[in-house]
Amino acid sequence: MERPALFDELKALATEQRNPHSMHIDTAPVREILEIINTEDHLVPIAVRREIPYIEQAVHLIVKAFKQGGRLFYVGAGTSGRLGILDAAECPPTFGTPPEMVQGLIAGGPEAVFRAQEGAEDREEDGARDLERAGVTPRDVVCGLAASRRTPYVVGAIRYARQLGCRTIFITCTPREEFPLEVDVAICPVVGPEVIMGSTRMKSGTAQKLVLNMLSTAAMIRLGKVYENMMVDLQMTNQKLRERAKRTVMIVTGLDYEAASRLLEAAGGHVKTAIVMALAGVSAEEARRRLARADGFVRAAIANEGPPPA
């Protein structure tokens, strides 16, 4: 029987190699299994750190798109797709963004988030279709997520996005010199073979999660969503977030619990407005005006200045 080309392609991928440090893991005691996994996990942040120059480029693309009314789309299959959806879902409660600003698409649709839809990732045309259905425009950024860099669903989405004129990013755990796709920025943390051969939910998934944390967090910081190192655009959608908002105002202003609660109420529940009111000694209306002038940056609003340089 003649073996398909895919067999040889997978055989050569960095993510499909055997790890020499875990060859005996099947007979190891539990403590040693855990130590092997943990030792290999230590390689992940080192690999991600090497990619910071490329992650920086990607953040600049994302911030520019956001400022022009564009959106960020993560596109992946399996673990990669779930990680993209997770990062997108966390943006509204953390940074007060509208749900459509950062979106995650996964091969096989929403059902694939909870149960593997095997085979869905093999259809390149589905990636393009899902982006089209999502209404992607040239103002948007599309970020492909595929540990192996070859996933057809993701490749199809990236090709469609480039045809539209979108800026494109790709996060993969294969070496840059083996990356054949045309994208604006390729982010390639090479974490080495997995403890269990081909199980890219492990080191590769962790690397992708770290990169996604950096992309969305850095972009939101550059949009003025953070003051000092605190979330100040969070949405008070549950009791925990309401109490966190009060504590944030207390920490920044030095007010006690009751006073911070009253200030937040006067600010319409908006943490940024409350902070500017307190530290600049202005009304809620004036605080909102200053925040608008400062493009949402609290430090600049307190000083009654425009936004900091990009």
Side-chain angles (χ1 to χ4, degrees):
M1 178 185 296
E2 184 178 354
R3 65 191 187 194
L6 176 59
F7 179 91
D8 292 318
E9 182 183 0
L10 292 174
K11 180 181 175 182
L13 287 173
T15 52
E16 294 292 328
Q17 304 308 304
R18 295 187 75 184
N19 191 322
H21 302 125
S22 60
M23 295 289 286
H24 65 291
I25 201 169
D26 59 326
T27 58
V30 170
R31 173 64 67 88
E32 188 176 353
I33 291 171
L34 300 178
E35 289 173 346
I36 291 169
I37 294 172
N38 182 250
T39 298
E40 289 296 311
D41 284 346
H42 275 72
L43 302 175
V44 177
I46 298 170
V48 171
R49 186 175 184 84
R50 295 191 185 108
E51 292 300 297
I52 284 179
Y54 302 98
I55 300 170
E56 179 187 13
Q57 293 175 30
V59 170
H60 284 302
L61 290 183
I62 294 167
V63 171
K64 183 178 180 180
F66 285 160
K67 289 187 174 182
Q68 295 176 347
R71 300 161 295 173
L72 171 61
F73 287 87
Y74 295 130
V75 184
T79 297
S80 298
R82 295 182 192 102
L83 289 170
I85 288 172
L86 174 63
D87 196 74
E90 291 290 349
C91 286
T94 306
F95 300 112
T97 58
E100 61 272 11
M101 187 171 172
V102 183
Q103 299 181 42
L105 301 177
I106 185 171
E111 289 185 2
V113 175
F114 303 100
R115 179 172 296 181
Q117 303 291 311
E118 300 301 340
E121 68 176 53
D122 294 332
R123 296 186 287 272
E124 186 171 319
E125 65 275 11
D126 285 3
R129 179 205 64 197
D130 287 353
L131 276 184
E132 183 179 17
R133 287 179 176 176
V136 171
T137 75
R139 291 188 301 177
D140 300 324
V141 174
V142 176
C143 178
L145 296 156
S148 69
R149 60 95 174 128
R150 61 155 298 279
T151 307
Y153 176 85
V154 182
V155 171
I158 290 294
R159 286 177 174 161
Y160 175 78
R162 288 188 67 80
Q163 290 171 3
L164 280 183
C166 301
R167 306 307 292 267
T168 52
I169 302 165
F170 207 104
I171 304 172
T172 179
C173 293
T174 57
R176 180 166 281 97
E177 57 269 22
E178 297 176 11
F179 188 79
L181 295 174
E182 289 290 330
V183 295
D184 292 291
V185 183
I187 300 170
C188 306
V190 180
V191 297
E194 299 289 358
V195 169
I196 305 301
M197 188 181 80
S199 182
T200 53
R201 71 185 182 87
M202 300 183 75
K203 289 191 296 182
S204 296
T206 302
Q208 291 179 88
K209 178 68 169 78
L210 291 178
V211 172
L212 291 173
N213 285 349
M214 296 168 82
L215 289 178
S216 57
T217 302
M220 295 302 170
I221 290 171
R222 295 307 304 155
L223 291 178
K225 301 288 187 181
V226 172
Y227 174 62
E228 294 180 348
N229 61 352
M230 290 178 284
M231 297 180 289
V232 289
D233 248 346
L234 58 84
Q235 295 180 352
M236 296 193 295
T237 52
N238 61 37
Q239 189 61 36
K240 181 188 76 173
L241 293 176
R242 284 191 288 273
E243 295 308 313
R244 179 180 290 163
K246 294 171 187 175
R247 183 167 180 265
T248 299
V249 172
M250 291 170 65
I251 291 171
V252 173
T253 65
L255 295 172
D256 62 23
Y257 184 86
E258 293 298 330
S261 300
R262 290 194 298 270
L263 183 64
L264 264 174
E265 185 176 352
H270 192 229
V271 175
K272 280 185 178 181
T273 303
I275 291 172
V276 176
M277 288 171 66
L279 298 188
V282 298
S283 66
E285 183 180 356
E286 173 63 12
R288 284 190 282 268
R289 186 196 67 78
R290 289 188 179 203
L291 282 165
R293 182 189 176 204
D295 205 14
F297 284 86
V298 173
R299 286 183 192 266
I302 293 168
N304 201 18
E305 297 174 347

Coordinates of all heavy atoms in Angstrom, one line a residue, residues 173-260:
C173 N 4.2 26.0 16.8 CA 5.3 25.5 17.6 C 6.3 24.7 16.7 O 7.0 23.9 17.2 CB 4.8 24.6 18.7 SG 3.9 25.6 19.9
T174 N 6.4 25.1 15.4 CA 7.4 24.6 14.5 C 8.4 25.7 14.2 O 8.1 26.9 14.3 CB 6.7 24.0 13.2 OG1 6.0 25.1 12.6 CG2 5.8 22.9 13.5
P175 N 9.6 25.3 13.8 CA 10.6 26.3 13.6 C 10.3 27.3 12.4 O 9.6 26.9 11.5 CB 11.9 25.5 13.2 CG 11.6 24.1 13.8 CD 10.1 23.9 13.7
R176 N 10.7 28.5 12.6 CA 10.4 29.6 11.6 C 10.9 29.2 10.2 O 10.2 29.5 9.2 CB 11.0 30.9 12.1 CG 10.7 32.1 11.1 CD 11.1 33.4 11.7 NE 10.0 33.8 12.6 CZ 10.0 33.6 13.9 NH1 11.0 33.1 14.5 NH2 8.9 34.0 14.7
E177 N 12.0 28.5 10.1 CA 12.6 28.2 8.8 C 11.7 27.1 8.1 O 11.9 26.9 6.9 CB 14.0 27.7 8.9 CG 14.2 26.5 9.9 CD 14.5 27.0 11.3 OE1 14.2 28.1 11.7 OE2 15.1 26.1 12.0
E178 N 10.8 26.5 8.8 CA 9.9 25.5 8.2 C 8.5 26.0 8.0 O 7.6 25.3 7.7 CB 9.9 24.2 9.1 CG 11.2 23.5 9.3 CD 11.1 22.4 10.3 OE1 10.0 22.0 10.6 OE2 12.2 21.8 10.7
F179 N 8.4 27.4 8.2 CA 7.1 28.0 8.1 C 6.9 28.5 6.7 O 7.5 29.5 6.3 CB 6.9 29.1 9.1 CG 5.5 29.7 9.2 CD1 4.5 29.0 9.9 CD2 5.2 30.8 8.6 CE1 3.2 29.5 10.0 CE2 3.9 31.3 8.6 CZ 2.9 30.7 9.3
P180 N 6.0 27.9 5.9 CA 5.8 28.3 4.5 C 4.8 29.3 4.1 O 4.7 29.8 3.0 CB 5.5 26.9 3.8 CG 4.6 26.3 4.9 CD 5.1 26.7 6.2
L181 N 3.9 29.6 5.1 CA 2.7 30.5 4.8 C 3.1 31.9 4.7 O 4.0 32.4 5.4 CB 1.6 30.3 5.8 CG 1.0 28.9 5.9 CD1 0.0 28.9 7.1 CD2 0.2 28.6 4.6
E182 N 2.4 32.7 3.9 CA 2.6 34.1 3.8 C 1.7 34.8 4.9 O 0.4 34.7 4.8 CB 2.1 34.6 2.4 CG 3.1 34.2 1.3 CD 4.4 35.0 1.4 OE1 4.4 36.1 1.9 OE2 5.5 34.4 1.0
V183 N 2.3 35.3 5.9 CA 1.6 36.1 6.9 C 2.4 37.3 7.3 O 3.6 37.4 6.9 CB 1.4 35.2 8.2 CG1 0.5 34.0 7.9 CG2 2.7 34.7 8.8
D184 N 1.7 38.2 8.0 CA 2.4 39.4 8.4 C 3.4 39.1 9.5 O 4.5 39.7 9.5 CB 1.4 40.5 8.8 CG 0.6 41.0 7.6 OD1 1.2 41.7 6.8 OD2 -0.6 40.7 7.6
V185 N 3.0 38.3 10.5 CA 3.9 38.0 11.6 C 3.7 36.5 11.9 O 2.5 36.0 12.1 CB 3.6 38.8 12.9 CG1 4.5 38.4 14.0 CG2 3.6 40.3 12.6
A186 N 4.8 35.7 12.0 CA 4.8 34.4 12.4 C 5.4 34.3 13.8 O 6.5 34.9 14.0 CB 5.5 33.4 11.5
I187 N 4.7 33.7 14.8 CA 5.2 33.6 16.1 C 5.5 32.1 16.3 O 4.5 31.3 16.3 CB 4.2 34.1 17.2 CG1 4.0 35.6 16.9 CG2 4.7 33.9 18.6 CD1 2.8 36.2 17.7
C188 N 6.7 31.7 16.6 CA 7.1 30.3 16.5 C 7.9 29.8 17.7 O 9.1 29.6 17.7 CB 8.0 30.0 15.3 SG 7.2 30.5 13.7
P189 N 7.2 29.7 18.9 CA 7.9 29.1 20.0 C 8.1 27.6 19.9 O 7.2 26.9 19.9 CB 7.0 29.5 21.2 CG 5.6 29.5 20.6 CD 5.8 30.0 19.2
V190 N 9.4 27.2 19.7 CA 9.7 25.8 19.5 C 10.0 25.2 20.9 O 11.0 25.4 21.5 CB 10.9 25.7 18.6 CG1 11.2 24.2 18.3 CG2 10.6 26.3 17.2
V191 N 9.0 24.4 21.3 CA 9.1 23.8 22.7 C 9.7 22.4 22.7 O 9.9 21.8 23.8 CB 7.7 23.8 23.3 CG1 7.2 25.2 23.5 CG2 6.7 23.0 22.5
G192 N 10.0 21.9 21.5 CA 10.5 20.5 21.5 C 9.5 19.4 21.5 O 8.3 19.7 21.7
P193 N 9.8 18.2 21.4 CA 8.9 17.1 21.4 C 8.1 17.0 22.7 O 8.6 17.3 23.7 CB 9.7 15.9 21.2 CG 11.0 16.4 20.6 CD 11.2 17.7 21.2
E194 N 6.8 16.6 22.5 CA 6.0 16.5 23.7 C 6.3 15.3 24.5 O 6.9 14.3 24.0 CB 4.5 16.4 23.3 CG 4.0 17.5 22.5 CD 3.8 18.8 23.3 OE1 4.0 18.7 24.6 OE2 3.4 19.8 22.8
V195 N 6.0 15.3 25.8 CA 6.2 14.2 26.7 C 5.6 12.9 26.1 O 6.2 11.8 26.2 CB 5.7 14.5 28.1 CG1 5.7 13.3 29.0 CG2 6.6 15.6 28.8
I196 N 4.3 13.1 25.7 CA 3.6 12.0 24.9 C 3.6 12.4 23.5 O 3.1 13.5 23.1 CB 2.2 11.8 25.5 CG1 2.2 11.6 27.0 CG2 1.5 10.7 24.7 CD1 3.0 10.4 27.4
M197 N 4.2 11.7 22.6 CA 4.5 12.0 21.2 C 3.2 12.6 20.6 O 2.2 11.9 20.5 CB 5.0 10.9 20.4 CG 5.5 11.2 19.0 SD 6.1 9.8 18.1 CE 4.6 9.1 17.6
G198 N 3.2 13.8 20.0 CA 2.1 14.3 19.3 C 1.0 14.9 20.1 O 0.1 15.5 19.6
S199 N 1.1 14.9 21.5 CA 0.1 15.4 22.3 C 0.3 16.9 22.5 O 0.8 17.4 23.6 CB 0.1 14.7 23.7 OG -1.0 15.2 24.5
T200 N -0.1 17.7 21.5 CA 0.2 19.1 21.5 C -0.7 19.9 22.4 O -0.6 21.1 22.5 CB 0.1 19.7 20.0 OG1 -1.1 19.3 19.5 CG2 1.3 19.1 19.2
R201 N -1.5 19.3 23.1 CA -2.3 20.0 24.2 C -1.4 20.3 25.4 O -1.7 21.1 26.2 CB -3.5 19.1 24.7 CG -3.0 17.9 25.5 CD -4.2 17.0 25.9 NE -3.8 15.9 26.7 CZ -3.6 16.0 28.0 NH1 -3.9 17.1 28.7 NH2 -3.2 14.9 28.7
M202 N -0.2 19.7 25.4 CA 0.7 19.9 26.5 C 1.6 21.1 26.3 O 1.2 22.2 26.4 CB 1.5 18.5 26.7 CG 0.5 17.4 27.0 SD 1.3 15.8 27.4 CE 1.9 16.1 29.1
K203 N 2.9 20.9 26.0 CA 3.8 22.0 25.9 C 3.4 23.0 24.8 O 3.5 24.2 25.0 CB 5.3 21.6 25.7 CG 5.9 20.9 26.8 CD 7.4 20.7 26.6 CE 7.7 19.8 25.5 NZ 9.1 19.5 25.3
S204 N 3.0 22.5 23.7 CA 2.6 23.4 22.6 C 1.4 24.2 23.0 O 1.3 25.4 22.7 CB 2.3 22.6 21.3 OG 3.4 21.9 20.9
G205 N 0.4 23.6 23.7 CA -0.8 24.3 24.1 C -0.4 25.4 25.1 O -1.0 26.5 25.1
T206 N 0.5 25.0 26.1 CA 0.9 26.0 27.1 C 1.6 27.2 26.4 O 1.4 28.3 26.8 CB 1.9 25.3 28.1 OG1 1.2 24.2 28.7 CG2 2.3 26.3 29.2
A207 N 2.4 26.9 25.4 CA 3.1 28.0 24.7 C 2.1 28.9 24.0 O 2.2 30.1 24.1 CB 4.1 27.4 23.7
Q208 N 1.1 28.3 23.4 CA 0.1 29.1 22.7 C -0.7 30.0 23.7 O -1.0 31.2 23.5 CB -0.8 28.3 21.9 CG -0.1 27.6 20.7 CD -1.1 26.7 19.9 OE1 -1.8 27.2 19.0 NE2 -1.1 25.4 20.3
K209 N -1.0 29.4 24.8 CA -1.7 30.1 25.9 C -0.9 31.3 26.4 O -1.4 32.4 26.5 CB -2.0 29.2 27.0 CG -2.8 29.9 28.2 CD -4.2 30.3 27.8 CE -5.0 30.7 29.0 NZ -4.8 32.1 29.4
L210 N 0.4 31.1 26.6 CA 1.2 32.2 27.1 C 1.3 33.3 26.0 O 1.2 34.5 26.4 CB 2.7 31.7 27.3 CG 2.8 30.8 28.5 CD1 4.3 30.3 28.7 CD2 2.4 31.4 29.8
V211 N 1.4 33.0 24.8 CA 1.5 34.0 23.7 C 0.1 34.7 23.6 O 0.1 36.0 23.5 CB 1.8 33.3 22.3 CG1 1.7 34.4 21.2 CG2 3.2 32.8 22.4
L212 N -1.0 34.0 23.7 CA -2.3 34.7 23.7 C -2.4 35.7 24.8 O -3.0 36.8 24.7 CB -3.4 33.7 23.7 CG -3.5 32.8 22.4 CD1 -4.5 31.7 22.6 CD2 -3.9 33.7 21.2
N213 N -2.0 35.2 26.0 CA -2.0 36.1 27.2 C -1.3 37.4 26.9 O -1.8 38.5 27.2 CB -1.4 35.5 28.4 CG -2.2 34.4 29.1 OD1 -3.4 34.3 28.7 ND2 -1.6 33.7 30.0
M214 N -0.1 37.3 26.3 CA 0.7 38.5 25.9 C 0.1 39.4 24.9 O 0.0 40.6 25.0 CB 2.1 38.0 25.5 CG 2.9 37.3 26.6 SD 4.3 36.4 26.0 CE 5.5 37.8 26.0
L215 N -0.5 38.7 23.8 CA -1.1 39.5 22.8 C -2.3 40.4 23.3 O -2.3 41.6 23.1 CB -1.6 38.6 21.6 CG -0.5 37.9 20.8 CD1 -1.2 37.0 19.8 CD2 0.4 38.9 20.1
S216 N -3.2 39.7 23.9 CA -4.4 40.4 24.3 C -4.1 41.4 25.5 O -4.6 42.5 25.4 CB -5.5 39.5 24.7 OG -5.1 38.6 25.7
T217 N -3.3 41.0 26.4 CA -3.1 41.9 27.6 C -2.3 43.1 27.1 O -2.6 44.2 27.5 CB -2.3 41.1 28.7 OG1 -3.1 40.0 29.0 CG2 -2.1 42.0 29.9
A218 N -1.2 42.9 26.4 CA -0.4 44.0 25.9 C -1.2 45.0 25.0 O -1.1 46.2 25.2 CB 0.8 43.6 25.2
A219 N -2.1 44.4 24.2 CA -2.9 45.3 23.3 C -3.9 46.1 24.2 O -4.1 47.3 23.9 CB -3.7 44.4 22.3
M220 N -4.5 45.5 25.2 CA -5.4 46.2 26.0 C -4.7 47.3 26.8 O -5.3 48.4 27.1 CB -6.2 45.2 26.9 CG -7.1 44.3 26.1 SD -8.3 45.1 25.1 CE -9.0 43.7 24.2
I221 N -3.5 47.0 27.3 CA -2.8 48.0 28.0 C -2.5 49.2 27.2 O -2.7 50.4 27.6 CB -1.5 47.4 28.6 CG1 -1.7 46.4 29.7 CG2 -0.5 48.5 29.1 CD1 -0.5 45.6 30.1
R222 N -2.2 49.0 25.9 CA -1.9 50.1 25.0 C -3.2 50.8 24.5 O -3.1 51.8 23.9 CB -1.2 49.6 23.7 CG 0.2 49.0 24.0 CD 1.1 50.0 24.8 NE 1.2 51.3 24.1 CZ 1.4 52.5 24.7 NH1 1.6 52.5 26.0 NH2 1.5 53.6 23.9
L223 N -4.3 50.3 24.9 CA -5.6 50.9 24.7 C -6.1 51.7 25.9 O -7.2 52.2 25.9 CB -6.7 49.9 24.2 CG -6.5 49.3 22.8 CD1 -7.6 48.3 22.6 CD2 -6.5 50.4 21.7
G224 N -5.3 51.7 27.0 CA -5.6 52.4 28.2 C -6.6 51.6 29.1 O -7.2 52.2 30.0
K225 N -6.6 50.3 29.0 CA -7.5 49.5 29.8 C -6.9 49.2 31.2 O -7.6 48.5 32.0 CB -7.8 48.2 29.1 CG -8.4 48.3 27.7 CD -9.9 48.8 27.8 CE -10.6 48.8 26.5 NZ -12.0 49.2 26.6
V226 N -5.7 49.6 31.5 CA -5.0 49.3 32.7 C -4.5 50.6 33.3 O -3.9 51.5 32.6 CB -3.9 48.3 32.5 CG1 -3.1 48.1 33.8 CG2 -4.5 47.0 32.1
Y227 N -4.6 50.8 34.6 CA -4.0 51.9 35.3 C -3.0 51.3 36.3 O -3.4 50.5 37.1 CB -5.1 52.8 36.0 CG -4.4 53.9 36.9 CD1 -3.6 54.9 36.3 CD2 -4.6 53.9 38.3 CE1 -3.1 55.9 37.1 CE2 -4.1 54.9 39.1 CZ -3.3 55.9 38.5 OH -2.7 56.9 39.2
E228 N -1.8 51.8 36.3 CA -0.7 51.1 37.0 C -0.7 49.7 36.6 O -0.4 49.4 35.5 CB -0.9 51.4 38.5 CG -0.7 52.9 38.9 CD -0.8 53.2 40.4 OE1 -1.3 52.3 41.1 OE2 -0.4 54.3 40.7
N229 N -1.1 48.8 37.5 CA -1.2 47.3 37.1 C -2.5 46.8 37.5 O -2.7 45.6 37.8 CB 0.0 46.5 37.8 CG -0.1 46.5 39.3 OD1 -0.9 47.2 39.9 ND2 0.7 45.7 39.9
M230 N -3.6 47.6 37.4 CA -4.9 47.2 37.8 C -5.9 47.3 36.6 O -5.8 48.2 35.8 CB -5.4 48.0 39.0 CG -4.6 47.7 40.3 SD -5.2 48.8 41.6 CE -4.4 50.3 41.2
M231 N -6.8 46.4 36.6 CA -7.9 46.4 35.6 C -8.9 47.6 36.0 O -9.5 47.5 37.1 CB -8.7 45.1 35.6 CG -7.9 43.9 35.2 SD -8.9 42.4 35.2 CE -9.1 42.1 37.0
V232 N -9.0 48.5 35.1 CA -9.9 49.7 35.5 C -11.0 49.8 34.4 O -11.8 50.8 34.5 CB -9.1 51.0 35.6 CG1 -8.2 51.0 36.8 CG2 -8.2 51.2 34.3
D233 N -11.1 48.9 33.5 CA -12.2 48.9 32.6 C -13.1 47.6 32.7 O -13.8 47.3 31.9 CB -11.7 49.0 31.1 CG -12.1 50.3 30.5 OD1 -12.9 51.0 31.1 OD2 -11.5 50.7 29.4
L234 N -12.9 46.9 33.9 CA -13.7 45.7 34.1 C -15.2 46.0 34.2 O -15.6 47.1 34.5 CB -13.2 45.0 35.4 CG -13.2 45.8 36.7 CD1 -14.6 45.7 37.4 CD2 -12.2 45.2 37.7
Q235 N -16.0 45.1 33.9 CA -17.4 45.2 33.9 C -17.9 44.5 35.2 O -17.6 43.4 35.5 CB -18.1 44.5 32.7 CG -17.7 45.2 31.4 CD -18.4 44.5 30.2 OE1 -19.0 43.5 30.3 NE2 -18.3 45.1 29.0
M236 N -18.7 45.3 36.0 CA -19.2 44.8 37.3 C -20.4 43.9 37.0 O -21.5 44.3 37.4 CB -19.5 45.9 38.2 CG -18.2 46.7 38.6 SD -18.5 47.9 39.9 CE -19.7 49.0 39.2
T237 N -20.2 42.7 36.4 CA -21.3 41.9 36.0 C -21.6 40.8 37.1 O -22.5 40.0 36.9 CB -20.9 41.2 34.7 OG1 -19.6 40.5 34.8 CG2 -20.9 42.2 33.6
N238 N -20.8 40.7 38.1 CA -21.1 39.8 39.2 C -20.6 40.3 40.5 O -19.9 41.4 40.6 CB -20.5 38.3 38.9 CG -19.0 38.3 38.8 OD1 -18.3 39.1 39.5 ND2 -18.5 37.5 37.9
Q239 N -20.9 39.7 41.6 CA -20.5 40.2 42.9 C -19.0 40.3 43.1 O -18.5 41.3 43.7 CB -21.1 39.3 44.0 CG -21.0 39.9 45.4 CD -21.7 41.2 45.6 OE1 -22.8 41.4 45.0 NE2 -21.2 42.1 46.4
K240 N -18.3 39.3 42.6 CA -16.8 39.4 42.8 C -16.3 40.6 42.1 O -15.4 41.3 42.6 CB -16.2 38.1 42.2 CG -14.7 38.1 42.3 CD -14.1 36.9 41.5 CE -14.1 37.1 40.0 NZ -13.3 36.1 39.3
L241 N -16.7 40.9 40.8 CA -16.2 42.0 40.1 C -16.7 43.3 40.7 O -15.9 44.3 40.6 CB -16.6 41.9 38.6 CG -16.0 40.7 37.8 CD1 -16.6 40.7 36.4 CD2 -14.5 40.9 37.8
R242 N -17.8 43.4 41.3 CA -18.3 44.6 42.0 C -17.4 44.9 43.1 O -17.0 46.0 43.4 CB -19.7 44.5 42.4 CG -20.7 44.6 41.3 CD -22.2 44.7 41.8 NE -22.7 43.5 42.3 CZ -23.3 42.5 41.5 NH1 -23.4 42.7 40.2 NH2 -23.7 41.4 42.1
E243 N -17.1 43.9 43.9 CA -16.2 44.1 45.1 C -14.7 44.4 44.6 O -14.0 45.2 45.2 CB -16.2 42.9 46.0 CG -17.6 42.6 46.6 CD -18.1 43.8 47.3 OE1 -17.4 44.5 48.1 OE2 -19.3 44.2 47.1
R244 N -14.3 43.8 43.5 CA -13.0 44.1 43.0 C -12.9 45.5 42.6 O -11.9 46.2 42.8 CB -12.6 43.2 41.8 CG -11.2 43.5 41.2 CD -10.9 42.5 40.1 NE -10.7 41.2 40.6 CZ -10.7 40.1 39.8 NH1 -11.0 40.2 38.5 NH2 -10.5 38.9 40.3
A245 N -14.0 46.0 41.9 CA -14.0 47.4 41.5 C -13.9 48.4 42.7 O -13.1 49.4 42.7 CB -15.3 47.7 40.7
K246 N -14.6 48.1 43.8 CA -14.5 48.9 45.0 C -13.1 48.9 45.6 O -12.6 49.9 46.0 CB -15.5 48.5 46.0 CG -17.0 48.7 45.6 CD -18.0 48.0 46.5 CE -19.4 48.1 46.0 NZ -20.3 47.3 46.9
R247 N -12.5 47.7 45.6 CA -11.2 47.6 46.2 C -10.2 48.3 45.3 O -9.3 48.9 45.9 CB -10.8 46.1 46.3 CG -9.4 45.9 46.9 CD -9.2 44.4 47.3 NE -7.9 44.2 47.9 CZ -6.8 43.9 47.2 NH1 -6.9 43.6 46.0 NH2 -5.7 43.7 47.9
T248 N -10.3 48.3 44.0 CA -9.4 49.0 43.1 C -9.5 50.5 43.4 O -8.5 51.2 43.6 CB -9.8 48.7 41.7 OG1 -9.6 47.3 41.4 CG2 -8.9 49.5 40.7
V249 N -10.7 51.0 43.5 CA -10.9 52.4 43.8 C -10.3 52.8 45.2 O -9.6 53.8 45.4 CB -12.4 52.8 43.8 CG1 -12.6 54.3 44.3 CG2 -12.9 52.7 42.3
M250 N -10.5 51.9 46.2 CA -9.9 52.1 47.5 C -8.4 52.2 47.5 O -7.7 53.0 48.1 CB -10.4 51.0 48.4 CG -11.8 51.1 48.8 SD -12.4 49.6 49.7 CE -11.5 49.7 51.2
I251 N -7.8 51.2 46.7 CA -6.3 51.2 46.7 C -5.7 52.4 46.0 O -4.8 53.0 46.5 CB -5.9 49.9 45.9 CG1 -6.2 48.7 46.7 CG2 -4.4 50.0 45.5 CD1 -5.9 47.4 45.9
V252 N -6.4 52.9 44.9 CA -5.8 54.0 44.2 C -6.1 55.3 44.9 O -5.2 56.2 44.9 CB -6.5 54.1 42.8 CG1 -6.1 55.3 42.0 CG2 -6.1 52.9 41.9
T253 N -7.2 55.5 45.5 CA -7.6 56.8 46.1 C -7.3 56.9 47.6 O -7.3 58.0 48.1 CB -9.1 57.0 45.8 OG1 -9.9 56.1 46.6 CG2 -9.4 57.0 44.3
G254 N -7.2 55.8 48.3 CA -7.1 55.8 49.7 C -8.4 56.0 50.4 O -8.4 56.1 51.7
L255 N -9.5 55.9 49.7 CA -10.8 56.0 50.4 C -11.2 54.7 51.1 O -10.7 53.7 50.8 CB -11.9 56.3 49.3 CG -11.8 57.7 48.6 CD1 -12.8 57.7 47.4 CD2 -12.0 58.8 49.6
D256 N -12.1 54.9 52.1 CA -12.6 53.7 52.7 C -13.7 53.0 51.9 O -14.1 53.5 50.8 CB -13.1 54.0 54.2 CG -14.2 54.9 54.2 OD1 -15.0 55.0 53.2 OD2 -14.4 55.6 55.3
Y257 N -14.2 51.9 52.4 CA -15.1 51.1 51.6 C -16.4 51.9 51.3 O -16.8 51.9 50.1 CB -15.5 49.8 52.4 CG -16.4 48.9 51.6 CD1 -15.9 47.9 50.8 CD2 -17.8 48.9 51.8 CE1 -16.7 47.1 50.1 CE2 -18.6 48.1 51.1 CZ -18.1 47.1 50.3 OH -19.0 46.3 49.6
E258 N -17.0 52.5 52.3 CA -18.2 53.3 52.1 C -18.0 54.4 51.1 O -18.8 54.6 50.2 CB -18.7 53.8 53.4 CG -19.2 52.7 54.3 CD -20.4 51.9 53.8 OE1 -21.2 52.5 53.0 OE2 -20.5 50.7 54.1
A259 N -16.9 55.2 51.2 CA -16.7 56.3 50.4 C -16.4 55.8 48.9 O -16.9 56.5 48.0 CB -15.5 57.1 50.9
A260 N -15.7 54.7 48.8 CA -15.4 54.2 47.4 C -16.7 53.7 46.8 O -16.9 53.9 45.6 CB -14.4 53.1 47.5

